[in-house]
Structures are given as structure tokens and as C-alpha cells.
Amino acid sequence: MKQSEYLFNIHSLYNIARYAFLKIESNYARTVETSGITLPQLRILWIIKVFPGISLSNVAKIGCWSSPTVSNMIKILIGKKLIYKEETINKKVYRFQLTELGDLFININKQNKGKKIYLFDLIGIFSHKELDFIIEIFTKIIIKEKKEFIFDYIARINEMNLKIDITGYDENTISIIKKTISVYNLLRTFILTIKSNHSEPLKEFNITYAQLRALWIIEAFPGITSSELSEISFWSPSTVHVIVKNLYCKQYIHKEKALIKNAHYLDISKLGEILIIEDYIKNQKTLLIFEELKDISPNDIISLNHLLVKMNNKLGNCKTEEYVKKTFAIIKDRAF
């Protein structure tokens, strides 16, 4: 296999995995928010339910968050009386427990077919063999990322049936559901680990991971409106507004008022083009993903990509393949 083809397959794997995860995550978040808490807050409730008495640092590790992010969410959950903290001998360390109300919120947010969460759309599109294959490959990747602790969390989530109400399903469907939940959690860990690894070296370019993502989307779809950017990226319009404002101030994009109210046509500037290629050459090619996939055969990567494309198509991510092809064409033209 040629190097360009191999790099394309890795580029595809990362991006189609990311967009499948983002589509499920954004849909899941909207569903949970109707209960009065956010999906990250619910995820903390799950973690504490699975590991009673867990410390803040371990919540952050399992959730793939920074400690300050977890600290802020913990304060909110304590304020809502969903969790409480136990003092330990070390006064600086706290252990967290669920309250009865916190337990109730977990039960309220158990998903079923009636809630139309996208995870249910994936049930039935893969065979047991295909799901086992996806899990096997991502398990190898997670082990190389030294995130083995996530396997215990996933197993316990499934054993305790915290996410899905399995009432009325036959044993075969329940097994499919649990494997689908495993795939979702492995995807999440994979994507957020790469994001974390990539965010640190981006400081040299004075740009955030989100801003870099926006630049690639704008480069792939010249003249895209800010509202279209919101749809493709799964960011809220207010988040897109802030990202676009920052990119424009840094002279990485041009923008022109669109006919649509409160929207702009966006194009990448020469400075922005230079930045994304410099980042690819200096940072992206040295990310852990290239090391993690060394022991996985090229044919297995191709097979995994076919399954992830199938997942994206089912989820309605119609622009993902186009995005992957366009961005890699830019990389191949300017970085090789």
C-alpha cells in the first residue's frame, strides 16, 4: 500500500469516527437536557453510580475531562443536590456519592425507543461479528493510549443497565444494544484522547482545537455560511459566532455578510491555509494515532472505515465522506 493511501485511510478513520461520535453525542445531549441537566453532568452521575466514593481526579480521568472542568460540574451537581461529598482523612481530597435525587435523574434519563436517540438507529445495522470487530480494533487503540480503565467503566455501565431501559427486548437485541453502547464509549474515549493530545501543541500556533476544526471545514467548503458551519460541526450558533470572531480577528478567515439573517459567507485566508498545513506536518503526523495503528493491518483499517461510513450514513452525516476527501486532497497537494 502506498504511503499516501495509508495516510488517507488513517485520516478517514479519525474523521469518520469523530463525526459519528459527534452526531450521537449532540443528539444525546439534546435529549438529556429536557430533564434539567446536561449530558456531561449525567455522565458524572453515571461514573459516581458505578464507582461510589470516587475522587474528582478519577472522575476526570474516566470522563476524559480536565480537573477544573469536573470541579465546576461537581459544584453544579452538589448545588442541585444530586451528589454530595464525603470528607476524608486528607481534608484536601473529597469522595463523591449519589443522593436519592441523583439516582432518580439517572433513571429518568434511561433511554428507550420512544425518546428517539440515535443509538437506537444503530441497532440492527451491524451483525454481532461486525460489532465485535469494531470493539476489538478500538480496544487495541485504547490500550495503546493507556486508557484501559475505561473497559471496567463500560462493563459496569452495561451490567447495571444505566443508559438503556432494556425492558421488552429479547436476549439477542439486549446483547446488540450493550455492544453498541461499548462502541459509543470507545469512540468517545478515542476521539477525546486525540483532541487532548492535539490541543497542547496547538498553543504554539495560538489557536484552539475548535478553531482548527473550523478552519478545516471552511477550507473544505469555501463560502460556507456560519449557520452551515454550525450544522456540520455540531456547535451551537453562539459557539460558532465566537469561533468565527476569533478566527477573523487572527486574520485566518475572510467573511462576507450573507443573505441569510445573522449569517456570513466564510473563506479561509492565505494565513489560515499556511497554518493548517504547518499543523498537519508538525503535529498531526506525530499524533499517537499513527503509533496506535502501527500494529493494525491496513486491511483491518479499511474494513473498519467501511463500517464507520455505514454508521455515518445511518446517522445522516451526509457530508462526512465529502469532507474527508476534500481535506485529504488539500493535504496531499500541499503537505506531501
Side-chain angles (χ1 to χ4, degrees):
M1 181 181 288
K2 293 180 181 177
Q3 186 195 28
S4 61
E5 187 180 350
Y6 178 69
L7 290 176
F8 172 74
N9 288 331
I10 293 178
H11 180 71
S12 298
L13 170 57
Y14 172 51
N15 283 287
I16 56 184
R18 179 173 64 188
Y19 280 100
F21 159 68
L22 290 174
K23 185 67 176 269
I24 297 168
E25 186 87 343
S26 63
N27 167 255
Y28 211 160
R30 288 194 300 272
T31 304
V32 170
E33 283 165 9
T34 61
S35 72
I37 61 174
T38 66
L39 179 56
Q41 289 166 12
L42 176 61
R43 188 163 276 118
I44 288 181
L45 297 184
W46 287 332
I47 293 170
I48 296 173
K49 176 75 173 180
V50 166
F51 301 109
I54 192 170
S55 66
L56 187 149
S57 61
N58 282 330
V59 170
K61 185 168 74 168
I62 293 169
C64 299
W65 297 301
S66 67
S67 289
T69 297
V70 173
S71 182
N72 289 333
M73 289 193 285
I74 288 286
K75 287 176 185 175
I76 293 170
L77 290 170
I78 290 174
K80 292 182 175 183
K81 302 190 185 320
L82 302 182
I83 64 171
Y84 66 95
K85 58 186 177 183
E86 298 177 330
E87 289 193 16
T88 61
I89 296 172
N90 182 348
K91 298 295 183 182
K92 293 182 179 179
V93 176
Y94 293 100
R95 308 218 171 261
F96 299 97
Q97 301 281 0
L98 280 182
T99 64
E100 286 187 16
L101 186 59
D103 216 22
L104 176 64
F105 265 79
I106 287 178
N107 289 325
I108 287 171
N109 281 291
K110 276 192 179 182
Q111 303 303 311
N112 54 51
K113 284 183 178 179
K115 293 186 179 178
K116 296 182 180 178
I117 188 170
Y118 286 159
L119 271 175
F120 283 101
D121 291 340
L122 300 179
I123 297 167
I125 72 164
F126 297 127
S127 66
H128 280 286
K129 185 177 179 181
E130 288 171 329
L131 284 169
D132 290 340
F133 174 75
I134 296 171
I135 290 169
E136 178 189 357
I137 300 297
F138 278 110
T139 294
K140 289 179 181 178
I141 294 171
I142 299 303
I143 288 172
K144 286 210 169 185
E145 287 176 344
K146 298 183 172 27
K147 297 283 180 80
E148 296 96 330
F149 52 82
I150 202 69
F151 303 139
D152 188 25
Y153 170 70
I154 293 171
R156 294 193 188 199
I157 279 282
N158 276 330
E159 284 169 11
M160 299 168 76
N161 298 319
L162 296 187
K163 292 190 177 185
I164 305 290
D165 182 358
I166 60 173
T167 306
Y169 290 105
D170 59 59
E171 286 188 17
N172 180 65
T173 306
I174 290 172
S175 177
I176 291 282
I177 288 171
K178 290 186 175 183
K179 287 179 181 180
T180 304
I181 289 171
S182 296
V183 168
Y184 165 63
N185 280 281
L186 291 171
L187 277 178
R188 181 179 183 275
T189 304
F190 170 63
I191 296 304
L192 294 186
T193 300
I194 292 178
K195 175 185 175 182
S196 175
N197 293 339
H198 197 173
S199 294
E200 186 62 32
L202 284 176
K203 291 177 181 177
E204 178 189 342
F205 293 100
N206 188 30
I207 193 170
T208 67
Y209 182 82
Q211 290 166 6
L212 180 72
R213 271 192 62 210
L215 279 180
W216 274 111
I217 295 171
I218 294 166
E219 174 72 309
F221 302 105
I224 190 173
T225 65
S226 42
S227 58
E228 288 169 336
L229 176 59
S230 175
E231 183 181 348
I232 293 173
S233 63
F234 302 105
W235 292 316
S236 67
S238 59
T239 299
V240 167
H241 174 76
V242 172
I243 290 171
V244 167
K245 181 180 178 181
N246 281 317
L247 290 174
Y248 183 71
C249 288
K250 293 174 183 178
Q251 300 183 325
Y252 290 137
I253 61 170
H254 306 295
K255 63 178 182 176
E256 181 183 336
K257 187 98 176 121
L259 297 175
I260 306 166
K261 188 178 179 182
N262 297 326
H264 291 84
Y265 296 119
L266 308 172
D267 287 288
I268 196 166
S269 68
K270 188 67 179 175
L271 195 62
E273 288 179 339
I274 292 170
L275 182 143
I276 61 175
I277 296 304
E278 281 187 357
D279 170 69
Y280 181 82
I281 293 169
K282 188 169 184 179
N283 295 327
Q284 291 195 46
K285 289 179 73 175
T286 60
L287 286 176
L288 281 176
I289 184 172
F290 290 95
E291 289 297 317
E292 292 156 357
L293 295 174
K294 266 185 179 177
D295 299 330
I296 300 172
S297 75
N299 285 338
D300 278 350
I301 294 174
I302 291 170
S303 297
L304 179 60
N305 283 346
H306 284 317
L307 294 174
L308 291 174
V309 166
K310 187 177 178 182
M311 184 186 293
N312 271 282
N313 290 340
K314 183 66 177 178
L315 293 169
N317 280 346
C318 53
K319 285 192 175 289
T320 302
E321 283 187 272
E322 184 183 359
Y323 170 82
V324 168
K325 288 174 182 175
K326 285 187 173 183
T327 49
F328 193 76
I330 294 160
I331 291 166
K332 190 175 180 181
D333 180 53
R334 299 178 198 166
F336 291 177

